[in-house]
Amino acid sequence: MTHVLSSLEEIRTNIRHTDRQLLQLVKERLAFAEEVATIKKSRGLPTINLDAEDATMTNLTNYATEMGVSPFFAKRLGELLIEETVRVEDASRPRQSKDQMLKEIFELTQKLTGKGVKVTRFEIGEPNFPAPPEAIKALSSTFRKKKIVGYGPAAGLPQLREALADELNRQHNAKIDPDQVLVTPGARFGIFGTITSFVSSLERVVIPQPAWPAYEECVSFINGRTVALNTQFENNWEIDIASLETELKKGVKVLVINSPSNPTGKVIPKKKFSEIVELAAKYNTMILSDEVYDRYVRVPAASILETGYDNFVYINSFSKQFSLTGWRIAYLVTSKQNALRIRRVIQTAMTCVPEFIQNAAIVAIEHARRVAQRNVNAILRKVDLTCRELEKIDVSFHKPEGAFYVFPKANKPKFDSVKFARQLLEEHHVSVSPGQSFGDYPTFFRLAVSLPESQIPSAIKGIGKAINEWQ
Ligand SMILES: Cc1ncc(COP(=O)(O)O)c(C=O)c1O
């Protein structure tokens, strides 16, 4: 018996010794990661390299099979090693989020205006027309009714979900059941809830670029992987179907589409939209279709709700339609099963969208559509004016087919729009968003046209002057 116990202790000592060796090897591996980080830094390469991650996972699985170790364990080990490698690389070279880049210009602008400087603001991505008076009246009247100040259902008020389903069914000739609709605190939260519900660590999300940076933020929040599918100005911002298929083939959890697009104003043509959906169906990829600018269109825009595809999440919001950005109310549509999963995120994180806001939203849908659309059309006319003025300066751009953004390219080689945006703000008091906030687009910048019409011509003249002075 003593003999058995002592040999058990001996084996345990050996195990502890092996653990120590394992850790020693991990330490050596991480020292390589630091070397890699230094090289990447000197060459301006991104921290995350999906091909290198793929190679690590494939190697580990092959070694595991060779050695008779569980491939499942090898996969988990690979994930841990990759996570730690990225953490070490990040520590030696912190990544700047694109969302933060956008906020930087916003904060700089606030600072200047705080000092009394008059800034022409082309950087604010929200409509500048007033919120519908009917909705505001409804909001204050619900305050007076004591019984609606408690917690509400996480999925949203049944009356609002019904009203939304009815409206969407009319708009898209669809058959959406109210149980498929969720009320979310902003489209941003709908996107967050979708990504956190369906994407796990290291899983891939394809985001055609240029794109609103919040998608990528959500993916990195859960340690997923963004696959940036670049579209080109020269190709009229069209998604290339062959490149998309190359990515989907590798195994992708979610494909994001945003039509009309922030920042290009591109509307995906109906035929292309169908091809994208067909491809997603072929690889069983979920489509997250962000349609928050669907009322800002000059050409017919396709909707995921009209395709019959069932692996989707449709995102929309009261923010841009009704100029209710600060109210934080939006909605999504998906299958009933998916809705239950996303509902859990809402319930866990914030119980529900405040009920008085939802009541006012019902009134907005029922009574304020016409007025809101008139305001939307006025913004589209301001986009026209902006385009006419842009034609007079040294930029190239496609006239947007939707949304209220223009994404011009400065006709200057080696243009750096982050630097340009700062200079323009400080020297000409005009704020724009740098192209790098939306992907690898340093020669582009975004104009959000939600400012008074009278300010547009002189501000664009200022932009033209700053581009001419650029060296
Ligand atoms: C494409 C896109 N989706 C969603 C949103 C955010 O909408 P919400 O205010 O409902 O969160 C924005 C805001 O700029 C956006 O550009």
Side-chain angles (χ1 to χ4, degrees):
M1 188 67 181
T2 354
H3 175 71
V4 173
L5 281 182
S6 74
S7 71
L8 196 58
E9 199 39 52
E10 218 171 275
I11 297 170
R12 284 186 179 138
T13 307
N14 284 342
I15 288 178
R16 285 193 287 268
H17 180 66
T18 321
D19 287 348
R20 191 186 158 86
Q21 284 177 315
L22 258 178
L23 267 185
Q24 183 58 38
L25 283 173
V26 169
K27 192 175 165 203
E28 283 170 32
R29 194 186 195 280
L30 294 177
F32 288 136
E34 279 180 12
E35 280 179 41
V36 167
T38 312
I39 296 172
K40 282 182 181 166
K41 192 174 176 179
S42 69
R43 297 192 191 162
L45 296 171
T47 298
I48 290 176
N49 181 319
L50 293 179
D51 291 338
E53 289 185 0
D54 274 349
T56 299
M57 293 305 256
T58 314
N59 274 349
L60 278 170
T61 323
N62 291 345
Y63 296 149
T65 315
E66 245 170 69
M67 296 175 187
V69 175
S70 145
F72 177 68
F73 171 77
K75 187 172 170 277
R76 284 176 64 199
L77 177 66
E79 285 170 1
L80 268 180
L81 289 173
I82 288 171
E83 272 177 33
E84 192 56 15
T85 305
V86 170
R87 195 189 64 77
V88 166
E89 286 194 34
D90 276 348
S92 74
R93 185 172 62 134
R95 270 179 279 171
Q96 196 196 14
S97 92
K98 297 192 183 103
D99 220 12
Q100 197 47 43
M101 220 186 269
L102 264 191
K103 291 202 176 90
E104 206 180 277
I105 287 291
F106 177 77
E107 281 158 16
L108 251 166
T109 308
Q110 297 284 81
K111 225 182 191 175
L112 276 181
T113 50
K115 283 187 202 156
V117 178
K118 264 200 167 155
V119 177
T120 307
R121 302 188 67 168
F122 267 123
E123 102 287 3
I124 308 176
E126 53 187 341
N128 70 335
F129 58 83
E134 296 87 345
I136 300 204
K137 227 188 286 162
L139 185 71
S140 44
S141 90
T142 59
F143 276 128
R144 286 183 236 117
K145 298 178 192 160
K146 275 203 189 104
K147 68 181 191 331
I148 52 158
V149 292
Y151 297 128
L157 287 181
Q159 311 88 291
L160 177 56
R161 295 167 77 201
E162 261 165 46
L164 286 165
D166 279 352
E167 189 180 57
L168 289 169
N169 286 338
R170 263 180 275 119
Q171 188 184 350
H172 296 293
N173 195 18
K175 289 199 177 73
I176 298 155
D177 187 286
D179 282 349
Q180 292 177 255
V181 181
L182 291 183
V183 180
T184 62
R188 193 186 267 266
F189 197 92
I191 294 158
F192 178 79
T194 305
I195 300 289
T196 49
S197 299
F198 301 105
V199 185
S200 304
S201 174
L202 300 186
E203 285 187 329
R204 295 179 178 199
V205 175
V206 169
I207 306 176
Q209 317 267 314
W212 184 48
Y215 308 122
E216 187 171 329
E217 280 295 292
C218 289
V219 176
S220 39
F221 190 83
I222 50 102
N223 200 21
R225 292 293 182 256
T226 290
V227 178
L229 189 73
N230 280 352
T231 64
Q232 312 300 336
F233 171 77
E234 293 73 17
N235 197 22
N236 195 14
W237 303 121
E238 289 280 340
I239 292 173
D240 178 52
I241 292 291
S243 313
L244 177 60
E245 179 150 27
T246 305
E247 294 308 335
L248 295 191
K249 246 187 214 162
K250 294 180 193 162
V252 164
K253 243 357 207 325
V254 174
L255 162 66
V256 174
I257 47 181
N258 172 218
S259 171
S261 145
N262 172 9
T264 61
K266 170 82 183 166
V267 169
I268 301 175
K270 287 203 168 185
K271 186 165 168 281
K272 179 59 75 72
F273 202 98
S274 308
E275 284 169 10
I276 293 170
V277 173
E278 253 173 53
L279 210 55
K282 183 172 167 190
Y283 293 99
N284 195 23
T285 312
M286 171 183 275
I287 292 185
L288 187 160
S289 185
D290 180 344
E291 303 183 20
V292 300
Y293 297 105
D294 69 341
R295 305 277 163 171
Y296 293 80
V297 282
R298 299 167 196 283
V299 296
S303 167
I304 194 72
L305 299 176
E306 294 166 7
T307 62
Y309 188 46
D310 57 4
N311 191 5
F312 76 96
V313 177
Y314 163 93
I315 300 279
N316 213 326
S317 173
F318 287 78
S319 288
K320 319 286 174 173
Q321 295 179 10
F322 292 101
S323 195
L324 291 174
T325 48
W327 287 28
R328 310 313 299 136
I329 181 157
Y331 48 101
L332 63 80
V333 180
T334 185
S335 67
K336 288 185 192 176
Q337 217 179 358
N338 287 347
L340 289 176
R341 277 177 75 172
I342 305 175
R343 189 188 71 174
R344 233 185 113 199
V345 183
I346 302 173
Q347 190 158 339
T348 308
M350 47 107 47
T351 308
C352 66
V353 173
E355 211 169 321
F356 52 86
I357 293 179
Q358 295 190 61
N359 278 322
I362 298 174
V363 174
I365 300 179
E366 288 173 354
H367 301 289
R369 270 274 172 235
R370 204 174 307 156
V371 164
Q373 195 57 43
R374 232 181 284 145
N375 289 322
V376 164
N377 295 343
I379 290 194
L380 288 176
R381 283 195 294 277
K382 284 196 275 192
V383 175
D384 287 341
L385 169 66
T386 305
C387 291
R388 284 199 299 277
E389 293 299 319
L390 281 171
E391 269 157 18
K392 300 176 190 166
I393 69 170
D394 198 12
V395 293
S396 309
F397 65 99
H398 294 295
K399 188 171 175 192
E401 295 153 325
F404 51 82
Y405 304 105
V406 194
F407 199 54
K409 170 184 161 69
N411 294 331
K412 291 268 174 183
K414 297 205 177 136
F415 194 75
D416 174 350
S417 74
V418 169
K419 250 198 216 158
F420 174 75
R422 277 193 212 120
Q423 269 178 21
L424 182 70
L425 184 54
E426 278 156 13
E427 292 167 19
H428 295 270
H429 303 154
V430 176
S431 63
V432 299
S433 305
Q436 287 98 319
S437 309
F438 308 96
D440 188 14
Y441 297 91
T443 53
F444 292 80
F445 54 93
R446 187 195 72 176
L447 304 178
V449 186
S450 57
L451 66 181
E453 193 173 320
S454 59
Q455 296 179 2
I456 294 174
S458 61
I460 304 252
K461 225 177 257 163
I463 293 174
K465 201 157 173 270
I467 290 177
N468 290 342
E469 288 162 4
W470 174 267
Q471 27 212 346

